[in-house]
Amino acid sequence: MSMTLEQAKEKLAKYGQEHVLKYYGELNEEEKQGILNQIETTDMSILEACKHKEDLAKKGVITPLAAMQLDEIEANREEFTATGIEAIRQGKVAAVLLAGGMGTRLGSDNPKGMYNVGLTHELYIFECLINNVMEIVKKAGAWIPFYIMTSDKNYDDTTAFLKEKNYFGYNAKYIHFFKQEMAPSVDYNGKLLMEAPDRLSLSPNGNGGWFSSLCRYGYDKQMKE
């Protein structure tokens, strides 16, 4: 059962965001349900965390990874390749594609991966990426679970396009889609911004949000299995 108006008011009051329902009385039933759904699913705890950054739990110290020199990699290439191939065969490797972007800067209204970069024949960005993974699949003789993150906006177009193209030869059983979580936009006073009287202004929560978005779909449990 979805959130009631009273529950929505309670949640907004907790975070000082009562203005979100300012135009509620002027909305039709569908619009009312839409804004209530947004209030229910929007994580507002982040607003409190931003106010008291000093109280955030420390999650360890981030330090640079040690790096290999190119000549060291070349000298051990066969060994490293064999180790990687074996890990793939044992099901210890997955691929994650962050495909939430639109092709705006390419002059396209479609998801970026649908852009055709071919000169003499059709060749889509999605196709190039899948071909790269397919090369390794052929070497290993084993499929790699492939997790594709879309945005809320381009989910339908992306899934329909890849299905229509038969996943460019990739085994559909190993392809898993999930949507990137959205984060609320705020003004300089920490107040939620509205895109319209019935709609919060939301933005994708950044590339760093891929893992929490994946977990929301239960794929972390699938990976452990």
Side-chain angles (χ1 to χ4, degrees), residues 64-92:
L65 290 167
M68 286 187 188
Q69 299 296 318
L70 288 174
D71 53 0
E72 190 184 348
I73 293 171
E74 275 308 319
N76 297 284
R77 181 174 287 279
E78 281 186 27
E79 181 192 343
F80 294 154
T81 301
T83 302
I85 293 293
E86 189 52 36
I88 290 168
R89 285 175 181 154
Q90 290 177 14
K92 293 181 177 178

Side-chain angles (χ1 to χ4, degrees), residues 3 9 20 46 51 64 70 126 135 139 167 192 196 217:
M3 180 173 265
K9 284 179 178 176
V20 169
I46 191 69
K51 280 186 198 169
L70 288 174
F126 277 136
E135 278 184 35
K139 273 187 194 171
Y167 306 100
L192 293 172
Y217 278 69

